[in-house]
């Protein structure tokens, strides 16, 4: 297990953004360039065009596909609290779908990207009404979530989120 660092200056940014420092970012602080990259990409994607609920669905889809219990717990919490997803929508996202057809196309594309290691056709997402820009944002979210999933698995990050 990678030992979490408590004193990295980048963790101050995490504390400002989230009000606390989750264990995942403590683990990432062992390699400051990893934490800096994570913060940069996640911050940039928050300025994107995808709704927060879509981003949370994608995080749940990718986390479940990669069997990352830490990320599934974190995004179950934020999906419900921040994005206001229902229990049914959280469970659907974990399975790579949604009750909403447009959202289902986004998470299905994200799951296909994850499982195929990038060899996914965006045609259904585009046909469902997602723009080319949003499709690229989905690709970036899948990459970001894959990073966090792998960090948590390799680092054996202790879960500090409510159980999913």
């Amino acid at each position: 297990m990678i030992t979490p660092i408590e004193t990295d200056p980048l963790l101050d940014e995490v504390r400002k953004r989230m009000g606390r420092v989750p264990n995942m970012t403590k683990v990432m602080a062992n390699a400051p360039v990893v934490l800096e990259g994570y913060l940069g990409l996640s911050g940039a994607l928050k300025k994107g065009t995808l709704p927060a609920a879509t981003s949370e669905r994608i995080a749940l889809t990718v986390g479940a596909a990669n069997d990352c219990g830490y990320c599934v717990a974190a995004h179950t919490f934020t999906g419900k609290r921040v994005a206001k997803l229902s229990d049914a929508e959280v469970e659907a996202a974990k399975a790579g779908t949604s009750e909403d057809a447009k959202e289902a196309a986004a998470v299905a594309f994200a799951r296909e990207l994850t499982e195929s290691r990038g060899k996914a056709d965006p045609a259904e997402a585009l046909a469902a009404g997602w723009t080319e820009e949003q499709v690229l944002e989905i690709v970036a979210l899948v990459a970001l979530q894959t990073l966090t999933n792998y960090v948590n698995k390799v680092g054996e990050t202790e879960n500090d989120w409510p159980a999913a």
Side-chain angles (χ1 to χ4, degrees):
M1 180 172 151
I2 297 171
T3 306
I5 293 176
E6 300 280 351
T7 58
D8 191 287
L10 291 170
L11 296 176
D12 289 337
E13 184 177 342
V14 173
R15 195 173 290 104
K16 287 176 189 172
R17 285 187 190 187
M18 300 184 72
R20 69 185 192 98
V21 179
N23 287 340
M24 178 190 76
T25 53
K26 293 175 187 176
V27 171
M28 285 181 173
N30 286 286
V33 296
V34 173
L35 180 55
E36 185 177 4
Y38 164 75
L39 292 172
L41 183 55
S42 64
L45 289 171
K46 288 194 185 319
K47 298 174 191 171
T49 62
L50 292 176
T54 303
S55 296
E56 289 300 325
R57 284 181 177 97
I58 290 167
L60 285 161
T61 296
V62 175
N66 284 327
D67 194 30
C68 181
Y70 185 94
C71 289
V72 169
H75 290 286
T76 295
F77 179 85
T78 57
K80 289 179 179 180
R81 284 267 173 97
V82 176
K84 306 298 183 200
L85 296 177
S86 68
D87 290 341
E89 276 298 297
V90 166
E91 292 306 311
K94 290 180 198 176
T97 191
S98 173
E99 295 172 1
D100 177 276
K102 185 175 180 182
E103 295 291 332
V107 295
F109 176 61
R111 187 163 188 110
E112 184 181 353
L113 272 171
T114 303
E115 292 176 346
S116 70
R117 293 186 237 165
K119 297 179 183 175
D121 184 352
E124 289 183 31
L126 292 166
W130 297 104
T131 66
E132 288 182 14
E133 179 181 8
Q134 290 170 320
V135 165
L136 289 173
E137 288 179 26
I138 292 168
V139 171
L141 277 168
V142 168
L144 179 68
Q145 293 308 315
T146 300
L147 169 66
T148 63
N149 295 168
Y150 289 6
V151 163
N152 289 316
K153 292 177 80 143
V154 169
E156 298 177 346
T157 307
E158 182 180 339
N159 189 12
D160 53 349
W161 294 94

